[in-house]
Amino acid sequence: MEYCLTTNNLCKQYKHDKALHNLSMHVPKGSIYGFVGKNGAGKTTLIRLICGLQRQTSGGYTLYGVKDTDKAIEKVRGRMGAIVETPSIYPDMTAEENLKIQYRILGMPSYEGIRELLQLVGLADAGQKKAKDFSLGMRQRLGIAVALAGSPDFLILDEPINGLDPQGIIEIRELILKLNRERQITILISSHILDELSRLATHYGFIDKGRIVREISAQELEEACRKCVRIEVNHAGKLARVFHERQIEYQMLSETEAEIYADMSVTKLVLMLAEEDCEVLSCKEQNESLESYYMKLVGGDVYE
């Protein structure tokens, strides 16, 4: 498999705080890579290192086969576009003026392509409206347009849907999918909003306390997320006793709810509990969620 980014035992130390600890990851070319972790797990630190905004304490990384110690790394970074933390835009300028500034920064010979770029991100009709008067979703899309100036084939988005309303989230999602599918741009998305990420990602990297704890494809994740039965009863203690005695795997979600990981019919389940005077109030089959999978991976209870 060809990778556009790999890291090897990457470490970043801030005095007594270790933000990254021997982090190794692999972003396949052409993928939408979901970089999943809690706030403070090290996601933004990794992105800042890759973009050349900070230097690592130890370890290294490779972009398109070029090591970070190679003189050619700066040229290779020209193939990247990124939004780190917040979009880099000028609030007192229009969308078009923002892009013209970025074109000049990149040393591009003309403004050809700006109208097409504005059309791509849905800002062709923004006219003379200043960026400070944009909605949050519009500012995010303008930030993506700025990151796309220079036609990168690797796009890094740090928490791109934070704070967006449902319409804004849908617009960003459709734009990301379009960039990946129609323009073959590899996209790394840092996020802790897992429900939305599960609609996009083809691959995942789970980070916790500065380490990658697992990398997995969306297909492998789907196979790993087990089917279960979520059940609500009137007496959790009796349910727990029944399942413990019969060595049936389960997880309590609350005082009345549990998830059961066993292949059995609903009738058999209800009768088994009825024998112990435990009444079943509701019963529903479902798949383990990405959120649940992640929380079990790093420890803790997703329902806390």
Side-chain angles (χ1 to χ4, degrees):
M1 184 178 292
E2 186 177 356
Y3 300 104
C4 66
L5 168 66
T6 60
T7 71
N8 182 33
N9 293 325
L10 208 55
C11 295
K12 179 62 179 177
Q13 182 96 20
Y14 297 104
K15 293 185 178 179
H16 303 295
D17 180 30
K18 188 168 283 189
L20 298 179
H21 184 60
N22 292 332
L23 184 143
S24 297
M25 64 186 292
H26 310 79
V27 179
K29 184 178 179 182
S31 68
I32 298 178
Y33 188 99
F35 195 30
V36 182
K38 303 172 186 175
N39 290 331
K43 302 189 301 295
T44 299
T45 298
L46 182 279
I47 289 171
R48 293 180 69 83
L49 293 181
I50 299 307
C51 292
L53 300 175
Q54 293 180 340
R55 291 188 64 82
Q56 65 267 31
T57 306
S58 63
Y61 61 89
T62 300
L63 283 171
Y64 289 102
V66 177
K67 293 183 178 180
D68 64 289
T69 53
D70 196 309
K71 291 182 180 178
I73 193 66
E74 290 302 325
K75 184 177 180 180
V76 174
R77 283 204 188 100
R79 299 177 64 176
M80 293 172 52
I83 296 179
V84 185
E85 297 181 291
T86 56
S88 299
I89 58 178
Y90 297 92
D92 291 317
M93 292 184 178
T94 66
E96 185 173 348
E97 289 168 344
N98 266 278
L99 284 174
K100 285 182 177 179
I101 289 288
Q102 184 65 10
Y103 270 49
R104 289 202 290 271
I105 289 172
L106 295 174
M108 298 179 69
S110 75
Y111 296 138
E112 184 180 353
I114 285 181
R115 294 303 300 171
E116 181 187 353
L117 202 47
L118 289 172
Q119 184 76 39
L120 175 66
V121 300
L123 294 175
D125 298 325
Q128 295 304 304
K129 190 174 185 178
K130 301 288 201 270
K132 64 183 178 182
D133 298 319
F134 283 6
S135 68
L136 184 57
M138 291 174 69
R139 289 199 296 273
Q140 196 71 283
R141 283 184 280 128
L142 176 56
I144 292 175
V146 170
L148 290 171
S151 301
D153 49 17
F154 183 26
L155 184 63
I156 298 176
L157 303 176
D158 190 10
E159 302 285 0
I161 60 172
N162 257 10
L164 298 187
D165 60 23
Q167 181 61 36
I169 290 173
I170 291 170
E171 290 169 351
I172 295 297
R173 180 203 307 156
E174 291 178 347
L175 176 57
I176 289 170
L177 289 172
K178 186 174 185 177
L179 293 173
N180 178 253
R181 293 170 180 174
E182 297 182 12
R183 300 202 171 198
Q184 287 75 55
I185 296 175
T186 303
I187 302 174
L188 186 152
I189 305 175
S190 158
S191 184
H192 63 275
I193 304 176
L194 304 189
D195 180 61
E196 182 58 31
L197 196 58
S198 67
R199 303 168 189 263
L200 293 167
T202 62
H203 295 75
Y204 296 92
F206 297 96
I207 182 174
D208 186 49
K209 298 175 183 176
R211 295 175 181 265
I212 290 289
V213 292
R214 183 161 301 171
E215 287 187 302
I216 192 170
S217 71
Q219 182 178 344
E220 289 169 333
L221 180 64
E222 185 177 347
E223 294 169 357
C225 286
R226 300 172 296 174
K227 284 184 169 55
C228 67
V229 174
R230 181 171 293 186
I231 188 170
E232 183 181 4
V233 297
N234 67 340
H235 199 298
K238 291 180 179 178
L239 178 146
R241 186 172 64 250
V242 168
F243 291 158
H244 181 72
E245 289 176 353
R246 291 165 173 77
Q247 297 184 333
I248 296 172
E249 185 181 358
Y250 71 99
Q251 179 184 12
M252 296 304 303
L253 308 180
S254 70
E255 293 182 356
T256 58
E257 288 185 302
E259 284 185 348
I260 305 161
Y261 302 95
D263 185 14
M264 67 172 64
S265 70
V266 173
T267 301
K268 183 178 179 180
L269 178 62
V270 172
L271 290 174
M272 182 189 301
L273 293 170
E275 289 177 2
E276 298 295 329
D277 196 27
C278 182
E279 182 182 356
V280 176
L281 304 177
S282 68
C283 185
K284 182 181 179 182
E285 186 177 85
Q286 63 183 44
N287 290 331
E288 185 179 15
S289 67
L290 171 60
E291 183 181 61
S292 177
Y293 178 85
Y294 168 71
M295 292 305 290
K296 287 179 181 177
L297 193 62
V298 301
D301 187 348
V302 68
Y303 299 101
E304 287 180 353

